[in-house]
Amino acid sequence: MRFSERWLRTLVDPPIDTAALCERLTMAGLEVEEAVPAAPPFSGVVVGRIDKAEPHPNADRLRLCAVDAGTGAVLQIVCGAPNAGVGMKVPCALIGAKLPGGFAVSKAAVRGVESNGMLCSAKELGIGDDASGLLALPEDALIGASVRDTLSLDDTLITLKLTPNRTDCLSMLGIAREVAAITGAPLFPPGIFAVPVGVATRRRVVVEDSGACPRFASRTIEGIDSGAPTPGWMKERIERSGIRSISPVVDITNYVMLELGQPMHAYDDRLLDGAIVVRFARAGETLTLLNEQTLALEPDMLLVADEKKPLGLAGIMGGVHSGINDATTTVFLEAAYWNPAIIQGKSRRLGFASDAGYRFERGVDFDGCARAVERATQLILDVCGGRAGPLDDECGEFPRRDPVRVRPPRVARLLGIALSADAIGGLFDRLRLTYRRESDDFLVTPPTFRFDLAIEEDFVEEIARLYGYAAIPAPPSAHVQSMLPDAEAALSVNGLKRKLVARDWQEAITFSFVNSAWEAALFPDRDAESAAIAVLNPIASHLDVMRTTMAGGLIEVLRTNLARRQDRVRVFEAGRCFQRAGAGYDQPLRLGGLAFGDAEPEQWGMAKRAADLFDIKSDLEALVAPRSLATVPGDHPALHPGRAATVLLDGRSIGWLGELHPRLVKHFDLSRAPILFELDLARLTSRPLPTARPISKLPVVRRDLALVVDEGVTVGDVLAALEAAKPPSVEALRLFDLYRGPGLLQGKKSFAILVLMQDTERTLTDADIDATVAELLRVAKDRFGATLRQ
């Protein structure tokens, strides 16, 4: 909400400067996002009147102007503006004037003719973008007066960053109420009175659904002059609030919206057919809005219509068919209260926003509709003339404003300070809240313009705001410190993250909302029962479903980094995925990761090598150590058919690991396939308790087994079988070589396995060692048909 400080001070004028005012607003919960001057600094520019304008003797496009600038002498000024005309009042920069940007005006000769000043455009003064001609000043501007005073340029434009619950401060009256409450300054609200009825003309209003439109106030005004100029003070105020001046009637409805917070709409009465009907859209109806967008109306869209056609989208924007133009002589004014639930989400769905929709979807004062019509009527009669018809006010059931009990002991417990009942009552009086006392308790009725006040804690917050957060002491509280238990068998999510970071991974945080196109590409054969969950009100059109996998977001992170020339990416994310589970939903915690590029950062001591599945598996093994992690061939629609694995932890599946499918490499426009993994995070947060055992002082014995097996036998299966059958004296079994080639039959390969043996009580004899090796060979032969390599 942007507004002019000068305008605010006509309603409430506390004896503090701009900086203090902004500080008080911010500390009271109305954050001042920006406070900028209405115009950049300049000096020496006064109101001048062009008394004579003649062609320049040496230039076709220049003119010699005789200007009265109130200096006592007529100034000769050379000007190139095409609109310079006799009698026009314009900004005149005198000799020595300083313009924005540090430009100093001095006496100069222009094409051989002396020029004693400069006539200025809006752009040259920094108050507009128009540089096509001189800035025309009001006809009643005093010659010789400062342009800054004439145009009220010594003003500050303040922008509030309001929270969604403070709709009441989307108006000058609401902000003025807050300033009066905060500072104690008197409030001078605009005078609003019932306009005398001049004609009996009225238009019938039919509200088909009073729940959607609990109030609809309207009036017809005849005999207006739509060509009358908008008063300068009004134009200045709405333009400094960020709204473009259009025509007097439209400007007045916008002015009332800014002043009172009640959006309004004015219709050209001659374009209306019969009664005004508030109804929902019917099948096949269309509507062209004021922004020239034509809508195919949907059944949940509430309309203002006449008996033949839709006129506007209720609470959002009017239609182009009944808009005000220069030929309008009779207007139909309306100010309504629309149920916020009917308006919410419509602007996002339609792809545009409006000032009216922004207010209505948050809730406006339902008690202000008639006042807004009366205020707009006053202004229209003052500016455009005319005769007002009777006020029609169709009312349904309004939102309940039930009294709320506020207890001083509760206030003291929540705020940590004890305030007397009289002090609390004084704060409520400053807020203009209606209440009655029951002993020390207060029964406070929330005002119609404050939808954010509903429970006792809301009023306690108001007390804190007005009392001042800085005035609430923060005494040290006495408490007993105790050590919290730290389960040794539990591993925190942060602990897992630290392990990955230590192995050269970086954490990413992506949206839980993802693009449905990603999900369709990753899971092309997914049926309706397992389809991604659609977001009813997406924050962006492409983030329209909830993620079922971490892969989509991580691939997008990869694409973002590749676009910035990062050719080595190793990212992970821990978060929830969202899946259908019968009639409900499941939200499992997942740990996902993606590796792309070289296995190691570029360096002089190691040759470049692309990361593969085994690099990532190594990181996962370190992540779950000392638990046992293994992989077996698997299948996943997003992974390469021959380079995908199911990840097992202690023999149970916890996720998948593999290379991105070639189809998806092409789909996401990647230069090569990244390696991805996704694990069940809940299964990773436990670990076995450590157990102590003695360290042997006896020598370690090493034997190497070179086993020849069929090509289809995996080393993991062999090692698992040997681990299961090994005697207690075997300390370790590790693969250290894999051989294929001469000396082996076709379809055979050789595993070289290191066997370390050690006993804690005695030195192993040759017989012990030979018996252990024989047992391991027997298991390998019986299970896999292995033979010793000769």
Side-chain angles (χ1 to χ4, degrees), residues 491 499 619-629 649 686-688:
L491 182 62
K499 283 189 173 186
D619 290 337
L620 297 183
E621 288 174 334
L623 180 67
V624 302
R627 301 173 71 183
S628 173
L629 181 139
L649 183 61
S686 63
R687 56 186 172 185

Side-chain angles (χ1 to χ4, degrees), residues 390-427:
L391 175 69
D392 285 322
D393 195 3
E394 298 290 329
C395 296
E397 184 176 352
F398 299 141
R400 293 168 59 93
R401 301 276 83 190
D402 296 329
V404 177
R405 183 176 296 275
V406 179
R407 300 160 292 172
R410 176 69 170 165
V411 174
R413 189 157 71 88
L414 290 177
L415 299 185
I417 55 172
L419 296 177
S420 68
D422 290 340
I424 293 174
L427 295 175

Side-chain angles (χ1 to χ4, degrees), residues 190-196 219 370-371 373-375 377-378 381-382:
I192 302 175
F193 54 85
V195 175
R219 163 176 280 152
R371 286 200 306 272
V373 173
E374 293 287 10
R375 177 63 168 157
T377 303
Q378 293 174 17
L381 296 183
D382 291 345

Side-chain angles (χ1 to χ4, degrees), residues 613-684:
L613 269 71
F614 299 103
D615 294 309
I616 312 308
K617 180 181 177 181
S618 173
D619 290 337
L620 297 183
E621 288 174 334
L623 180 67
V624 302
R627 301 173 71 183
S628 173
L629 181 139
T631 56
V632 296
D635 184 30
H636 190 281
L639 301 181
H640 191 295
R643 300 173 188 173
T646 299
V647 180
L648 306 177
L649 183 61
D650 298 332
R652 298 175 60 184
S653 173
I654 61 165
W656 49 263
L657 164 68
E659 186 178 292
L660 190 65
H661 198 291
R663 167 181 58 85
L664 295 174
V665 173
K666 182 177 181 181
H667 176 85
F668 289 107
D669 193 25
L670 303 175
S671 59
R672 69 174 83 166
I675 310 299
L676 296 104
F677 71 84
E678 185 168 306
L679 308 178
D680 183 353
L681 189 56
R683 301 282 299 280
L684 302 176

